[in-house]
Amino acid sequence: MKFFIDTANLSEIKEAYDLGVLDGVTTNPSLMAKEGITGQANILKHYKDICDLVDDNVSAEVISTDFETMVKEGKELAKIDDKIVVKIPMIKDGVKAIKALTDEGIRTNCTLIFNAGQAILAAKAGASFVSPFIGRLDDISSDGMALIEQIVLIYDNYGFETEVLAASLRHTMHLIQCAEAGADVVTCPLNVITGLLKHPLTDIGLEKFLADYKKGNS
Ligand code: E4P
């Protein structure tokens, strides 16, 4: 299972990378705006800065919505670094753009996936990753995790090579349930990754071990 961090914040990316468990980064226009990154030149430079921090898999999202411009934009993003994966929204022209970019050997991540039909289309078009948004489905009282299970099953049935990249995770239980469901990748904020470290009995146990060591060695 791969771990991606869902942020454009360089220090958070570095912290997750330094933990030794990071396989990639996902960004989106909202996350870039949150970091105050605006203007095309700054945005492209920021993607390069992210690429320099990690080993592979940096999703950079197009902001155009028509086929020709998405392909052009995708090619420009891919030129930044071999680590770039072009993120394309699940719309009609997006599916066509995924096919065109895939045919040119450019990796893509089809984003804003909310049902299995969309995931099938993205895989048929040759997307490298498909991003179903668990948290946003849960937010509208739908079952985000059921969608992950459904897509994993469908891709297994047909041997689709597209990786299921579970996105919009809100908490550590989402991550663990994704692992149970067989998601290939999870992308989540830093606190969800570091949240995996925590258990009160670990803290209590460590405190006791250290106290007992001190007693015997003072
Ligand atoms: C996925 O790549 C998206 O960037 C992300 O996971 C969306 O998460 P959100 O619903 O918390 O904005």
Side-chain angles (χ1 to χ4, degrees):
M1 182 188 219
K2 292 176 190 148
F3 277 15
F4 293 177
I5 188 167
D6 196 30
T7 184
N9 182 287
L10 299 180
S11 60
E12 288 182 3
I13 293 168
K14 188 168 171 355
E15 186 176 337
Y17 184 81
D18 287 347
L19 195 57
V21 298
L22 194 69
D23 302 292
V25 180
T26 51
T27 63
N28 62 42
S30 308
L31 293 171
M32 294 293 273
K34 193 174 162 200
E35 297 307 314
I37 315 295
T38 54
Q40 189 62 358
N42 291 333
I43 289 172
L44 297 184
K45 183 185 174 305
H46 199 73
Y47 284 137
K48 181 63 185 159
D49 291 344
I50 294 175
C51 288
D52 289 344
L53 288 178
V54 297
D55 298 330
D56 196 10
N57 298 310
V58 176
S59 281
E61 188 159 340
V62 299
I63 41 109
S64 47
T65 52
D66 67 280
F67 172 70
E68 277 85 12
T69 323
M70 268 192 269
V71 170
K72 186 168 170 271
E73 209 186 326
K75 286 182 182 171
E76 275 164 23
L77 290 169
K79 264 191 231 148
I80 298 172
D81 197 292
D82 286 347
K83 296 173 190 171
I84 290 285
V85 177
V86 179
K87 206 169 177 190
I88 306 267
M90 170 39 74
I91 54 176
K92 192 174 179 184
D93 279 27
V95 173
K96 290 158 71 179
I98 288 167
K99 172 85 176 88
L101 292 169
T102 303
D103 287 348
E104 299 225 13
I106 294 172
R107 292 181 295 164
T108 57
N109 170 1
C110 187
T111 191
L112 293 168
I113 295 287
F114 292 97
N115 67 36
Q118 294 176 321
I120 293 171
L121 258 186
K124 289 283 292 174
S128 316
F129 299 95
V130 69
S131 290
F133 280 35
I134 299 174
R136 291 194 195 185
L137 279 169
D138 289 357
D139 288 346
I140 58 156
S141 304
S142 194
D143 187 348
M145 203 53 63
L147 177 60
I148 302 296
E149 289 164 9
Q150 199 181 12
I151 298 171
V152 167
L153 174 70
I154 291 167
Y155 283 10
D156 281 354
N157 282 347
Y158 294 97
F160 282 125
E161 285 177 11
T162 304
E163 292 186 58
V164 180
L165 194 178
S168 183
L169 272 67
R170 303 274 195 256
H171 46 72
T172 54
M173 277 315 292
H174 269 155
L175 192 153
I176 291 161
Q177 286 163 352
C178 282
E180 287 175 338
D184 301 288
V185 191
V186 285
T187 189
C188 47
L190 181 63
N191 70 308
V192 174
I193 298 175
T194 54
L196 296 174
L197 289 162
K198 292 178 192 154
H199 195 288
L201 290 179
T202 304
D203 299 337
I204 292 166
L206 181 60
E207 207 177 308
K208 175 93 173 68
F209 285 154
L210 295 179
D212 288 346
Y213 173 82
K214 252 191 202 163
K215 263 190 246 161
N217 291 276
S218 55

